[in-house]
């Protein structure tokens, strides 16, 4: 990762992101809402099928949802930089993308 927008080294950036990730996980696990000004808000909610309100919820029977909502200013800036064009796609033509055809760096989902 090289950028002309910062003088931070790649190891420093990775360390900051790792620390931020850990803090976000801890905050969400405690039920806090995470707000990163100008970027996003995050919160968690639990779902699942529970027969009555007195049911004891465990990590095995609850469905955790991480809710991420972009900051309005962030969304507006993305929209302002986005260029749209009309594309006509013929009907009944299957659109398939094989995972093997993606560049190798896209498949590496773990940044650390």
């Amino acid at each position: 990762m090289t950028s002309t927008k910062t003088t931070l080294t790649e190891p420093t950036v990775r360390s900051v992101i790792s620390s931020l990730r850990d803090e976000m996980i801890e905050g969400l696990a405690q039920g806090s809402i995470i707000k990163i000004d100008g970027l996003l808000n995050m919160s968690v909610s639990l779902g699942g099928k529970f027969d009555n309100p007195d049911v004891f919820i465990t990590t095995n029977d609850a469905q955790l949802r991480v809710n991420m909502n972009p900051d309005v200013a962030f969304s507006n800036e993305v929209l302002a930089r986005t260029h749209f064009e009309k594309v006509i796609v013929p009907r009944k033509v299957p659109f398939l993308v094989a995972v093997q055809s993606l560049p190798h760096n896209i498949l590496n989902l773990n940044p650390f």
Side-chain angles (χ1 to χ4, degrees):
M1 168 186 5
T2 57
S3 174
T4 58
K5 296 182 180 183
T6 182
T7 58
L8 298 173
T9 64
E10 184 175 338
T12 300
V13 172
R14 288 185 180 275
S15 177
V16 168
I17 291 173
S18 178
S19 295
L20 176 63
R21 180 183 180 275
D22 292 344
E23 290 296 320
M24 291 171 68
I25 290 170
E26 187 63 32
L28 291 170
Q30 294 177 10
S32 298
I33 295 174
I34 306 296
K35 180 173 182 160
I36 302 175
D37 289 333
L39 188 59
L40 62 88
N41 296 320
M42 294 177 71
S43 62
V44 293
S45 60
L46 289 177
K49 190 172 184 177
F50 307 108
D51 295 334
N52 64 61
D54 298 326
V55 171
F56 183 75
I57 301 171
T58 69
T59 55
N60 294 330
D61 56 11
Q63 298 168 349
L64 178 70
R65 293 184 192 100
V66 178
N67 309 303
M68 297 191 298
N69 299 307
D71 183 90
V72 173
F74 179 82
S75 294
N76 290 341
E77 190 168 339
V78 170
L79 184 59
R81 294 183 186 194
T82 303
H83 302 283
F84 297 97
E85 65 181 58
K86 185 174 184 177
V87 177
I88 299 173
V89 179
R91 291 182 144 306
K92 296 186 179 182
V93 175
F95 179 73
L96 300 174
V97 175
V99 172
Q100 295 83 2
S101 69
L102 296 174
H104 178 70
N105 62 341
I106 291 177
L107 297 177
N108 183 3
L109 301 177
N110 184 358
F112 302 105

